[in-house]
Every structure is written in C-alpha cells, then in structure tokens.
C-alpha cells in the first residue's frame, strides 16, 4: 500500500459507520424526506450519515478540510490542502423509493486532485476503493478485496454504454449524439449514479457518461476508475473533477477519444 494506507483505513471506518446508519433507515416506515432548494430529496439518513462522518473526521483528521453535500464546506485547519469530500447517500431518489442501488461516497483530495476514493453500497453488499499508486479493489470489506481492471474493448460496436439520463443530455444539447452512440454500441443501459462508474472499473461495461454533477458526486469515483486503468475527463477533455466542467466522460481509456469526440466541446477560451 502507498502512503495513503492510514487514510484508506480511516475511509473504511467512515464507511462502516455510515453503512450502519443508512441500512437501519433504508425502507424504514418513519423515514423523513424533505426537498432541498434545488428540489432534490434529502432524507434523515443523508444528514445523519454526514454528521457522523463530520464527527469522525474531526476526531481523526482535525487538520483536514471537508466538503459534504448536506452541510457544505468545513475549511481545513492546516496548510497542506487536504480535503475530504463526502456524499452521504449517492442515489437518494433510489434510497427513498426502496431501490437498493445507493452508496456512500468518500474521497480525499490534495488540492484539486482526488488521491483516494471509496464507494460503499451496503444494500448491494459491495464496496469499491482505490488510492493513488495502489490499484483499485472491490469486495464486501477491506479484508476481502480483490483487484479490479477496466475492459479491453477497443471498438464501439462491441462496447457496453452507460448513461445517467436522456433529459440531462438533451439540456446539454447532446441528445442526438447520445442516441447515435446507443445505436452504434453493442448494448446501452442507464444504471446511473455511482454504479455505472463502478461497473466500468470492474470491466463489466466500457463507457459511463454524465452531463451534470457536483464534486461530491464524482470525486470518490475518479481514483477508482483511473487506478483500474480507465480515464475520466470532463466534456472539454480536462481531467475530472479539476477541469471545472460539471460533467464526466468515463471510459476504459481505449474508447475515450471516440466518446469525447462525440459528446465533448472545446474548452472555453
């Protein structure tokens, strides 16, 4: 393991505590759900998970900053630019409807660069993690992890293509391009949220694209996909998530130029 071994062990601890809270509230009859100003749902499980992670990081990494989806930015006390980025429940719409595809996302950034990512999906019994230079892994927990690797598919006609939504790509002015990719690929499915990226990292599919997302949606995913041998950029071709474009094009690397050429746009001058 690299110099991030202690941080990765802490990330697993954070995920263990998060899983205990979220699984207890999943399909709970008294689950409380509200709408945020952007009209997206937030449940009492989202806020409880983030509060627990905040408390644990304050105890274990008091010098690090934190950005969470529900409680915003907690500035770092120290000068080294380390910041944890947390989505307490990615896939809240699934969570509140009883669909088991949701996860806690935990990332560690140094400056703008994600150096560690962990995704824990307890309702699926799965977890994925990676740290820079250490490879990517999946398993039920840290003790039972196995290495993962992206696919070797080179031709779009043989590829399995995943996307988050058609309406988002329509708003981005790329619906026709998305539909053409769907026609040109072997298979297309909309798994959405974190799951498409994890299936990409495992080699179960070859492309995952998303037109709009926040830092907490993608930061944990980038190290896992890249350490598994894949590529993640924004639509302008800049490394995600530091490029500033709130989008993600993730591929096995071999298909990246083709997909980026179809969905991308030149960087702003």
């Amino acid at each position: 393991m690299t110099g991030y071994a202690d941080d990765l062990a802490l990330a697993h601890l954070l995920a263990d505590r998060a899983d205990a809270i979220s699984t207890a509230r999943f399909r709970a009859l008294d689950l409380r759900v509200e709408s945020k100003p952007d009209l997206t749902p937030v449940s009492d499980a989202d806020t409880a998970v983030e509060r627990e992670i905040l408390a644990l990081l304050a105890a274990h990494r008091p010098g690090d900053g934190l950005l969470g989806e529900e409680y915003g930015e907690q500035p770092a006390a120290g000068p080294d630019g380390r910041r944890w980025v947390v989505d307490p429940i990615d896939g809240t719409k699934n969570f509140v409807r009883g669909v088991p595809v949701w996860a806690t996302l935990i990332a560690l950034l140094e400056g703008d660069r994600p150096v560690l990512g962990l995704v824990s999906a307890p309702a699926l019994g799965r977890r994925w993690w990676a740290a820079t230079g250490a490879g990517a892994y999946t398993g039920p927990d840290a003790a039972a992890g196995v290495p993962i690797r992206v696919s070797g598919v080179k031709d779009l006609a043989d590829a399995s293509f995943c996307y988050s939504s058609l309406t988002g790509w329509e708003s981005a002015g790329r619906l026709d391009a998305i539909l053409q990719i769907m026609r040109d690929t072997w298979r297309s499915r909309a798994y959405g949220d974190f799951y498409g990226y994890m299936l990409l990292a495992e080699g179960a599919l070859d492309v995952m694209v998303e037109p709009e997302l926040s830092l907490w949606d993608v930061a944990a995913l980038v190290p896992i996909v890249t350490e598994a041998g894949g590529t993640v950029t924004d639509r302008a071709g800049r490394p995600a998530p530091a490029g500033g474009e709130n989008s993600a094009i993730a591929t096995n690397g071999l298909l990246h130029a083709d997909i980026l050429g179809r969905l991308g746009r030149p960087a702003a001058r």
Side-chain angles (χ1 to χ4, degrees), residues 12 117-120 126-131 133-141 144-152 194-205 220-231 251-252:
H12 279 286
L118 186 148
V119 173
S120 188
R126 297 290 302 280
R127 191 174 286 188
W128 299 261
W129 62 92
Y137 300 84
T138 188
D141 52 45
V146 295
I148 53 176
R149 187 76 183 170
V150 297
S151 76
F194 72 95
Y195 198 36
Y197 299 90
M198 298 302 95
L199 292 173
L200 168 66
E202 292 182 355
L205 56 84
L221 312 179
V222 170
I224 298 171
V225 172
T226 56
E227 285 294 313
T231 301
T251 74
N252 65 358

Side-chain angles (χ1 to χ4, degrees), residues 14-67:
L14 300 178
D16 290 341
R17 299 285 282 271
D19 290 354
I21 295 169
S22 58
T23 54
R25 299 303 293 151
F26 184 51
R27 294 176 174 160
L29 297 179
D30 62 342
L31 183 72
R32 298 187 302 278
V33 182
E34 300 176 355
S35 290
K36 294 190 284 190
D38 63 0
L39 302 182
T40 60
V42 58
S43 73
D44 60 69
D46 292 81
T47 52
V49 167
E50 191 163 319
R51 285 196 304 269
E52 179 69 8
I53 291 176
L54 276 168
L56 287 167
L57 286 174
H60 291 273
R61 294 291 188 276
D64 292 351
L66 172 67
L67 173 65

Side-chain angles (χ1 to χ4, degrees), residues 89 217 247 250:
I89 296 181
D217 295 316
S247 59

Side-chain angles (χ1 to χ4, degrees), residues 169 172 197 208-214 218 232-250 260 263-265:
W169 284 106
Y197 299 90
M208 171 65 188
V209 298
E210 198 162 5
E212 185 176 7
L213 69 175
S214 299
V218 69
V232 188
T233 69
D234 65 14
R235 289 202 295 128
R238 298 168 296 200
E245 169 74 55
N246 60 340
S247 59
I249 306 294
L260 192 61
L263 296 179
R265 64 186 183 194

